[in-house]
Amino acid sequence: KSELRDGDFVKIGSAVFQFTFRNATEACFHEELYKLTTIDSLTGAFNRRHFDSCLSAEIGRAERYGRCLTVGLVRIHQLQNITTEHGSEGQQHILRGCASVMKSYLRQNDVVARFTDEVFAVIIPEVTEDNAQLAFQKLLKAVKEQPFEHDGKALTVSLCLGTATAS
């Protein structure tokens, strides 16, 4: 037995880890770096790269433990019309607002990611297909009822949804 020191290597099975002490500044730096590589800067939702990684992990977990996994693609209907009528600021306002509503209506371990310009991808693991569909219906209703406003004008937003469930 010996005491761990900064920079020591630890082998557990076939994995090798390096032990490091971090001060608060380093921890903040690494947290910011993590956010930059996983979060979409406009919407605050996860980015496509993080979604792909999470989806791969969740598929493996669902297969390994025989659990349900639902994935949905949520498209903001007629976002291009909003952009034409209200400019890119209006579009950005809608994207941020939709992401915020989706994140607030889903569980913490569900994944909401910006998939393409006007499409968000959602991963809902470990619930039945019926419960996942119920969650998506609540999400659609919440966005539809959300009062979006830009430059003093009300904006109507509707979503299109496609889902797939593996059980």
Side-chain angles (χ1 to χ4, degrees), residues 42-54:
L42 175 63
T43 64
F46 288 114
N47 62 24
R48 172 73 183 265
R49 177 186 292 158
H50 186 73
F51 168 81
D52 291 344
S53 176
C54 287

Side-chain angles (χ1 to χ4, degrees), residues 8-35:
D8 283 352
F9 290 95
V10 178
K11 184 175 182 180
I12 301 173
S14 62
V16 178
F17 301 94
Q18 185 175 21
F19 181 78
T20 60
F21 289 109
R22 293 200 177 150
N23 62 30
T25 304
E26 280 183 290
C28 287
F29 169 77
H30 286 283
E31 174 132 351
E32 185 63 25
L33 189 61
Y34 175 77
K35 286 179 184 177

